[in-house]
Amino acid sequence: MALAGATTFIVVNAIAGFAVFLIAASSNDTTVAKVLLALTAVVSAASAFGGGWLLIRRKRPMPKGFGMGLMIGWSLVTVCTAGLCTAINPELYTSMFGMAR
């Protein structure tokens, strides 16, 4: 179930993250793009760790494994993409998409 949770997070994050990056890149206002990316980072982490924590608390093996998988999936995506796909990379907020400091 941990593998299923990690895979689920990776697939959902890829679809949602792609949509968010398209919207942020097409925005003319850098403040809106930065807020959208920050909101994405918070929602991504909250869904993985909040949802994972709630599933782990159920004390049954299948939900517990899936919850751990969500957390593992977030960690793998963050490490393997240097934080780009979970929106925690500081480069997203400074120079990417033409956003100047």
Side-chain angles (χ1 to χ4, degrees):
M1 287 308 293
L3 183 61
T7 303
T8 300
F9 181 83
I10 291 168
V11 169
V12 170
N13 187 61
I15 294 167
F18 185 70
V20 168
F21 280 142
L22 285 178
I23 294 168
S26 65
S27 175
N28 291 331
D29 188 7
T30 59
T31 305
V32 171
K34 289 179 184 180
V35 168
L36 180 63
L37 291 172
L39 184 62
T40 301
V42 169
V43 169
S44 173
S47 66
F49 290 101
W53 180 75
L54 289 174
L55 287 170
I56 288 172
R57 286 186 46 126
R58 294 189 70 190
K59 306 264 190 221
R60 293 192 331 226
M62 290 184 71
K64 192 174 195 176
F66 194 83
M68 289 174 61
L70 290 175
M71 296 178 192
I72 292 167
W74 184 89
S75 302
L76 284 174
V77 169
T78 301
V79 169
C80 292
T81 64
L84 287 174
C85 291
T86 52
I88 64 168
N89 188 324
E91 189 70 20
L92 288 172
Y93 303 98
T94 55
S95 66
M96 193 172 232
F97 304 127
M99 295 180 211
R101 282 190 181 164

